[in-house]
Amino acid sequence: MCRSRRRRLAAPTAEHAGLVDPILTARVEAAVLVGEAMAHLAQVLEGRLDFVHVPDAASALDHARRLIAPGDAVLVKGSNGVGLSRVVAGLTGGRS
């Protein structure tokens, strides 16, 4: 595992739209996109996937708790600069 204390400030670019094919290929049923940098991805996914685009980790946790059912597989992927570790902690009760 590698870790950096620097926060990468991602701009909302077409780079994130490159995630569309892997998301659809993996047959993701629902997604929670977090932060401004995901705006372009949200536009490209519109009408192709059930998703919500939220501003921050607190909103992401709230939506994830409503989406997830027992037995679901969950992938949390993104910059910790938006606080996604808090989403994981909230979903796992602090266990990792």
Side-chain angles (χ1 to χ4, degrees):
M1 175 200 286
C2 295
R3 196 166 166 184
S4 173
R5 298 246 183 245
R6 277 191 348 239
R7 178 177 177 193
R8 179 176 166 222
L9 299 176
T13 66
E15 178 183 336
H16 292 104
L19 297 171
V20 171
D21 287 337
I23 288 170
L24 297 176
T25 299
R27 293 184 276 171
V28 171
E29 294 178 12
V32 179
L33 307 178
V34 186
E36 269 185 56
M38 294 295 109
H40 191 81
L41 179 59
Q43 289 174 346
V44 177
L45 284 175
E46 190 68 45
R48 300 173 79 182
L49 178 74
D50 182 19
F51 74 91
V52 61
H53 183 207
V54 299
D56 54 40
S59 299
L61 179 57
D62 181 52
H63 282 281
R65 283 182 171 147
R66 287 187 265 144
L67 285 171
I68 298 169
D72 285 351
V74 177
L75 170 66
V76 177
K77 168 70 179 94
S79 167
N80 195 42
V82 295
L84 293 183
S85 63
R86 292 190 306 266
V87 174
V88 172
L91 294 175
T92 63
R95 300 178 315 273
S96 53

